[in-house]
Amino acid sequence: MAGTAGDPPGGAETPALGAMLGYRAYARRWVFLLVLSLLSCSNATLWLSFAPVADTIAQHFLLSTEQINWLSLVFLVVSIPSGVVAIWVLDSIGLRWATVLGAWLNFAGSVLRALPSTAIGTQAPFAFFMGGQGLCAVAQTLVIFSPAKLAAVWFPEHQRATANMIGTMSNPLGILVANVLSPALVKKEQGILIMLATYIIPAGLACLLATTCLWESVPPTPPSAGAAHSTSEKFLDGLKLLVRNKAYVILAVCFGGGVGIFSSFLALLEQVLCVYGYSNEFVGLCGALFIAFGILGALVLGLYVDRTKHFTEAIKVGFCLTSVVCVAFALVSQLQGQTLALAAICSLFGLFGFSVAPVAMELAVECSFPVGEGAAAGLIFVLGQAEGMLVMLLLTSLTVRRAQPSFSTCQDGLDPLDWRVSMLLMAGLSVLFSCCLVLFFHTPYRRLQAEAGTSPSIQDNGCLAAADHMPCPAESPEATPRPPWPQQVLQGQEGPALVQRLREQSCVEKPAWGWEGSGTGRL
């Protein structure tokens, strides 16, 4: 309501009056979040649908293991140049058009991938696969940058981390679906067409919903003070500010490295474990546990940081625990018959690692405010994809062929690869990124500090909540009840005296982290 047409006259008192009236959150924000989550989930299933059944795909279409790896690696390569364009689209063109464009590209890519299993694409299956994966990769940059932007411009401050968590974790949910569904559908080579056709369905549904159900990029009235100042910096100016922000650069490099490690882990998991006799079904189970526990951890951690605002502490602890589990995986994955241990390690890997992803995105926005959310979250993802491409190429280049042992389940027709050096390198990189983050990352929470002295959002129950979302004093016997907003306020009557009286009687109290000079987020 602040700053909208029809504000009452009153010169200098108009901003104060708008602040007292608060901001508004619209129910249709959940529809936008649902569409974006479905689209992100579909895109993730398309990204890693080949990885759990890499050996079967290679054998059926007469492709090499390196070609199958490129079907996942292409997402990392394409997202680097297209990611910069996606950042500009989000912050300049708008969230709605970015989502619609991403939905159509994702749907077109899913259809193109299925053509090699028909008579049309039998002559050049790899070209069709790469073309479809390339379109889906461009769509990924438009989709995966969006949760932070959606949470910032549509959701009130006490729901931002949760909304970001839902939107961000829908992507690993799609990876979970791919790890479970692909091995289940491709037990034999005849199931490949069924698998490819199945993944078209959610892509088509997301495209339909995005085209018909999304009508605006931003709500008519912002839900918070941060949303009112969203994308306050121009695109190039924002990028310059990000590059000069020491805390943001450290976070981007360390978290981007984590994204690269996780991308390589998911893409190469089947090839690593088949050497020691683990089946595709077990690999799919490990991937599913990895994602399921990651989503569970993200849910708990998202609710926690929404209430406490301990973003920095949460991400540092998560990184440290992830490094310990990564070292354990590097050692146990080179042993035979360790199914229970591997399942437990993959579960903990997801619980500690994936759960910090939405927190990192929120923290990127906090330490870079007032730079646009698309730029703050997108640049981290682009850097993560670049690091992921380098990590994956490095890990695969360090492998060597060895005489195939009798217990190997690899079906690519070649001797299995020795991954011992690669896995130890992956664990070492994880430890390195964690140490850098813990030792060198410190930042104030700029967006929270900017919102501390402004009006809180109007909640669903009609009560103004303080910045830390404590209950309205009307719910507490010691507090003075806040009277309803009188009609005179809406009509601009009674002037400064009424505004001052409402300030004194309002339920806005000091946030838990303090009004000024606090929220540094140091561990």
Side-chain angles (χ1 to χ4, degrees):
M1 299 178 186
T4 58
D7 279 343
E13 291 302 325
T14 300
L17 186 59
M20 293 304 300
L21 288 175
Y23 299 95
R24 180 178 178 185
Y26 294 83
R28 60 182 179 272
R29 67 190 186 276
W30 297 106
V31 176
F32 210 138
L33 181 60
L34 173 64
V35 173
L36 184 62
S37 299
L38 177 61
L39 177 57
S40 182
C41 181
S42 168
N43 184 263
T45 61
L46 296 171
W47 172 28
L48 289 178
S49 56
F50 294 113
V53 289
D55 49 359
T56 307
I57 297 290
Q59 186 177 32
H60 180 71
F61 291 103
L62 303 179
L63 302 177
S64 67
T65 303
E66 288 73 18
Q67 287 177 307
I68 297 298
N69 288 340
W70 271 102
L71 297 180
S72 300
L73 190 60
V74 66
F75 272 71
L76 309 181
V77 176
V78 171
S79 64
I80 297 172
S82 64
V84 178
V85 178
I87 293 172
W88 176 82
V89 170
L90 272 174
D91 284 341
S92 302
I93 304 301
L95 186 60
R96 180 213 172 197
W97 287 111
T99 305
V100 172
L101 177 60
W104 278 99
L105 288 172
N106 191 64
F107 176 64
S110 68
V111 174
L112 187 59
R113 290 170 7 126
L115 295 181
S117 293
T118 66
I120 300 177
T122 52
Q123 299 302 318
F126 184 69
F128 282 88
F129 284 149
M130 284 294 287
Q133 291 292 89
L135 291 177
C136 295
V138 175
Q140 184 190 51
T141 58
L142 294 168
V143 173
I144 210 165
F145 298 176
S146 299
K149 181 76 172 180
L150 177 65
V153 301
W154 278 93
F155 286 80
E157 60 270 21
H158 73 290
Q159 294 178 347
R160 280 196 301 243
T162 302
N164 201 351
M165 178 273 298
I166 294 174
T168 303
M169 286 297 103
S170 59
N171 191 266
L173 178 62
I175 300 174
L176 184 152
V177 172
N179 275 279
V180 173
L181 195 58
S182 291
L185 294 176
V186 189
K187 293 184 180 298
K188 297 182 179 180
E189 295 182 9
Q190 291 76 9
I192 294 176
L193 176 60
I194 298 175
M195 179 195 76
L196 296 172
T198 300
Y199 289 131
I200 296 177
I201 298 174
L205 179 60
C207 183
L208 176 63
L209 293 177
T211 305
T212 58
C213 296
L214 305 183
W215 294 100
E216 53 195 354
S217 293
V218 296
T221 303
S224 67
H229 297 87
S230 177
T231 320
S232 58
E233 296 290 339
K234 294 181 180 179
F235 175 68
L236 292 178
D237 292 338
L239 291 182
K240 292 178 182 178
L241 288 175
L242 292 178
V243 173
R244 296 171 184 170
N245 188 326
K246 178 182 176 182
Y248 179 85
V249 171
I250 293 174
L251 177 64
V253 172
C254 295
F255 181 70
V259 171
I261 290 174
F262 277 86
S263 299
S264 302
F265 172 82
L266 288 169
L268 301 174
L269 183 61
E270 187 271 341
Q271 298 174 51
V272 173
L273 295 184
C274 76
V275 176
Y276 291 93
Y278 299 103
S279 65
N280 283 354
E281 288 75 13
F282 177 73
V283 173
L285 174 63
C286 288
L289 291 173
F290 177 77
I291 304 301
F293 277 84
I295 295 173
L296 176 63
L299 174 62
V300 175
L301 196 59
L303 295 174
Y304 172 75
V305 298
D306 251 340
R307 290 184 172 273
T308 65
K309 309 303 177 186
H310 293 162
F311 299 104
T312 304
E313 293 85 347
I315 194 172
K316 287 184 177 182
V317 172
F319 259 66
C320 292
L321 294 174
T322 301
S323 298
V324 174
V325 179
C326 189
V327 172
F329 177 81
L331 299 176
V332 178
S333 63
Q334 304 305 302
L335 302 176
Q336 184 186 4
Q338 302 297 320
T339 54
L340 291 179
L342 281 172
I345 289 173
C346 289
S347 301
L348 293 176
F349 205 6
L351 180 66
F352 298 140
F354 254 126
S355 60
V356 302
V359 178
M361 292 301 181
E362 281 292 296
L363 190 55
V365 176
E366 290 292 342
C367 73
S368 61
F369 186 83
V371 177
E373 297 82 12
L379 192 58
I380 281 186
F381 180 79
V382 171
L383 187 59
Q385 298 295 76
E387 292 182 67
M389 180 182 65
L390 294 176
V391 170
M392 191 169 176
L393 289 174
L394 185 59
L395 295 182
T396 54
S397 66
L398 292 176
T399 59
V400 293
R401 294 285 177 183
R402 66 179 188 180
Q404 184 169 356
S406 59
F407 48 80
S408 173
T409 59
C410 300
Q411 301 177 20
D412 58 1
L414 301 174
D415 290 336
L417 297 170
D418 188 340
W419 291 91
R420 284 177 291 184
V421 176
S422 299
M423 292 298 99
L424 291 175
L425 175 63
M426 184 179 74
L429 290 174
S430 178
V431 173
L432 175 63
F433 290 133
S434 298
C435 291
C436 291
L437 186 74
V438 171
L439 294 176
F440 302 115
F441 179 75
H442 306 285
T443 181
Y445 299 155
R446 303 175 188 273
R447 182 172 59 176
L448 291 178
Q449 289 178 349
E451 292 174 343
T454 58
S455 171
S457 303
I458 295 178
Q459 308 302 310
D460 293 338
N461 62 1
C463 172
L464 280 173
D468 62 344
H469 319 297
M470 296 170 61
C472 190
E475 301 171 8
S476 173
E478 294 89 0
T480 303
R482 177 181 61 82
W485 296 106
Q487 185 65 27
Q488 291 94 321
V489 174
L490 301 177
Q491 298 173 356
Q493 300 175 11
E494 293 195 21
L498 177 58
V499 172
Q500 181 62 30
R501 186 166 70 251
L502 289 173
R503 280 201 187 105
E504 296 171 352
Q505 295 178 350
S506 73
C507 67
V508 178
E509 297 184 358
K510 181 179 179 181
W513 60 86
W515 287 115
E516 298 176 352
S518 60
T520 59
R522 294 181 182 271
L523 185 61

